[in-house]
């Protein structure tokens, strides 16, 4: 039946409920891993989550690219949804920054009245943290270059600059992992260790998600899914990546530089 409105009423899909059960299984698996030291359920839950997510996103790609369901009205709604999601993420990080500043601005007697606490040897902010800052700032430039190239129908430059952004994202993750391996303190080392690893680890998780997001956009760009006027999937990934960049700047200045 022909519709007389520009909105998209989604078809019934099994993927939301399947993904919910998969994530639930993964979280139960994490609890089992922590208490019984067995990773079988968490691995199964992760694989099921990835499988359901892939098929869910595949259907959305078909709706937007091949079936033409993402009209200008639908795209506007998706843009507002992404903006509200990023705002919720800002408040998520704000909670961890609040915990850090609450502890660092008034260190208790258990911490030796010092910040960083006694016996804690913090990272040198001019080594790997500074390199990671330069990497993320450069990736912000390359994703902007890619976006402008796409809007100007220069698909060759758009692909090359997006590929650079993905490579820089995974390079950042590799350096962050190396930093964690070489860390002279652990998450159990007072409130400093817990706030450091929770905040930087949460940001690292967002970098991995953002890099994967951009990698999918790279594949879609290669398959000509985007045009100069219809590329919200790419635009949402770029917004998310800029958010990751800005959070890292606050994180570097407050935790690595000022907090050391």
């Amino acid at each position: 039946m022909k519709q007389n409105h520009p909105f998209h009423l989604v078809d019934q899909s099994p993927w939301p409920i399947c993904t919910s059960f998969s994530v639930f299984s993964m979280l139960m698996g994490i609890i089992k891993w922590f208490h019984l030291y067995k990773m079988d359920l968490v691995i199964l839950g992760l694989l099921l989550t990835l499988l359901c997510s892939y098929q869910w996103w595949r259907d959305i790609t078909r709706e937007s690219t091949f079936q033409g369901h993402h009209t200008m009205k639908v795209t506007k709604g998706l843009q507002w949804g992404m903006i509200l999601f990023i705002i919720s993420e800002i408040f998520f990080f704000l909670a961890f920054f609040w915990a850090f500043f609450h502890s660092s601005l008034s260190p208790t007697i258990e911490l030796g009245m010092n910040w960083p606490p006694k016996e804690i040897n913090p990272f040198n902010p001019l080594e790997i943290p500074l390199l990671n800052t330069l990497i993320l700032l450069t990736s912000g430039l390359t994703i902007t270059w890619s976006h402008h190239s796409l809007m100007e129908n220069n698909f060759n430059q758009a692909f090359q600059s997006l590929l650079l952004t993905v490579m820089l994202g995974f390079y950042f993750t590799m350096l962050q992992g190396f930093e964690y391996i070489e860390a002279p303190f652990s998450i159990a080392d007072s409130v400093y260790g817990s706030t450091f690893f929770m905040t930087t680890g949460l940001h690292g998780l967002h970098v991995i998600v953002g890099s994967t997001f951009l990698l999918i956009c790279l594949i879609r760009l290669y398959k000509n899914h985007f045009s100069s006027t219809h590329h919200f999937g790419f635009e949402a990934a770029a917004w998310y990546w800029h958010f990751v960049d800005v959070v890292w700047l606050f994180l570097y200045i407050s935790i690595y530089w000022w907090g050391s």
Side-chain angles (χ1 to χ4, degrees), residues 172-192:
F172 175 95
T173 303
M174 184 183 72
L175 288 175
Q176 191 80 25
F178 176 76
E179 183 183 67
Y180 279 7
I181 293 171
E182 298 295 319
F185 56 89
S186 73
I187 195 171
D189 283 324
S190 76
V191 70
Y192 183 89

Side-chain angles (χ1 to χ4, degrees), residues 130-228:
L130 180 59
L131 176 59
N132 268 343
T133 302
L134 295 175
I135 289 169
L136 274 190
L137 289 176
T138 305
S139 71
L141 293 174
T142 55
I143 190 66
T144 303
W145 172 22
S146 181
H147 192 195
H148 280 272
S149 298
L150 181 59
M151 290 190 293
E152 294 171 3
N153 282 319
N154 191 336
F155 289 92
N156 188 38
Q157 281 197 16
F159 183 85
Q160 291 174 358
S161 50
L162 185 55
L163 177 60
L164 274 175
T165 309
V166 173
M167 292 171 63
L168 289 169
F170 285 112
Y171 184 40
F172 175 95
T173 303
M174 184 183 72
L175 288 175
Q176 191 80 25
F178 176 76
E179 183 183 67
Y180 279 7
I181 293 171
E182 298 295 319
F185 56 89
S186 73
I187 195 171
D189 283 324
S190 76
V191 70
Y192 183 89
S194 60
T195 52
F196 176 87
F197 281 104
M198 283 300 299
T199 310
T200 58
L202 182 66
H203 177 268
L205 177 64
H206 281 71
V207 171
I208 293 172
V209 171
S211 301
T212 307
F213 200 172
L214 292 172
L215 179 61
I216 293 169
C217 288
L218 184 70
I219 295 169
R220 294 188 64 195
L221 186 63
Y222 178 76
K223 292 187 174 183
N224 292 318
H225 285 191
F226 299 130
S227 69
S228 59

Side-chain angles (χ1 to χ4, degrees), residues 101-119:
F101 283 113
H102 176 81
S103 301
S104 61
L105 291 173
S106 182
T108 62
I109 194 169
E110 291 83 6
L111 302 178
M113 308 291 285
N114 288 325
W115 193 267
K118 286 187 175 181
E119 309 303 326

